[in-house]
Amino acid sequence: MAQFSLYRPWAGASWGGPADQLRQEVDAVLHRFGGGTTSSSSWRGVFPAVNLYEVADAYVLMAELPGIDHKDIHVSLERSTVTIEGERKIDYANQEGVSLHRRERQVGSFRRAFELPALIDADKVEAVHQNGVLMLRLPKSPEDQPRQISVQAS
Amino acid sequence: MAETNALQAREKQELQGETIRPGPVFRPEVDILEREDSYVIYADLPGVDDKSIDVRLDQGALTLDAQLATLPDTSWNPLHAEYRIGSYHREFRLSEGIDASGVSARMQNGVLELQLPKSSQHRPRTIPVEAG
């Protein structure tokens, strides 16, 4: 099977800069039809971290987005590029009469785009946000799926 | 447009040391805040639901243990992995001023909210002043 890897031209550049609040980053798949797993060591910290799986007729993309209402998550698809964007808000941080003793949970916006190894059937994409985990089922377009061609006797 | 920060992805903190369970165990990120009459703990536990979490309070020690309820099917072929999955564990030592019998917990969108009411003698009181 062929290699699967991600290409990030802007990874690591201008972290947190004011002009960089909405990162526009496309993770392009260089080689189609993945085999081996890319490890997390090649990943450079763009939120959200995602895991990508393949099933026979679809890709499944998972991202951990705890504490984000499904209405604050926007998913769009153009050809084989899927974009996830949204914002995590924490309302208690600025409330009166509240003192924060520990602050580890982050707030802020995110945007990330991925190019998948095959064309996606946009009409059949399913997005579910369950227990703070976003699951996108991205069916491969019929024209990109392997087909069996029957051989007929002449 | 309102000022917003870009979220930064952080690698999960894996707990080191002896564990009795197989697989990685992560330390969830928490916020702890104090209100006039209570403390509240929020913990990020993506993939966990109300049935897969165990909250234990024993002699001032509060322990969270959680397993994943939302997780990938083992038949799926992994192509690319940026985050690891596993169970969660974290412990807190509560101050004496907490009313252990009034502690309540709720899971929503993969976040645990723990309400820890202050015991009555630790709540602020207003003392009425009488005219003499």
Side-chain angles (χ1 to χ4, degrees), chain A residues 50 92 101 104 106 109 112, chain B residues 5 8 10 31-32 34:
Chain A
V50 299
Y92 51 71
H101 291 285
E104 295 172 358
Q106 299 185 90
S109 55
R112 200 169 171 198
Chain B
N5 301 312
Q8 301 196 11
R10 292 189 290 218
D31 282 352
I32 301 176
E34 182 177 357

Side-chain angles (χ1 to χ4, degrees), chain A residues 43-64:
Chain A
W43 167 65
R44 291 287 175 269
V46 182
F47 189 92
V50 299
N51 286 349
L52 182 69
Y53 304 87
E54 186 176 18
V55 294
D57 56 349
Y59 296 97
V60 183
L61 193 129
M62 294 180 78
E64 294 186 328

Side-chain angles (χ1 to χ4, degrees), chain B residues 9 18 30 35 51 60 66 72 108 110 126:
Chain B
E18 293 177 24
V30 302
R35 296 183 196 276
K51 291 175 200 70
Q108 191 181 24
T126 19

Side-chain angles (χ1 to χ4, degrees), chain B residues 21-78:
Chain B
R21 278 178 308 234
V25 182
F26 299 104
R27 182 176 188 261
E29 293 181 340
V30 302
D31 282 352
I32 301 176
L33 57 101
E34 182 177 357
R35 296 183 196 276
E36 191 175 297
D37 55 356
S38 65
Y39 293 90
V40 192
I41 298 176
Y42 291 93
D44 282 339
L45 299 160
V48 173
D49 70 6
D50 57 329
K51 291 175 200 70
S52 67
I53 185 162
D54 187 36
V55 182
R56 222 169 267 272
L57 184 60
D58 185 22
Q59 298 186 0
L62 180 77
T63 312
L64 306 182
D65 274 293
Q67 315 288 323
L68 294 179
T70 299
L71 71 173
D73 194 281
T74 49
S75 71
W76 299 351
N77 176 31

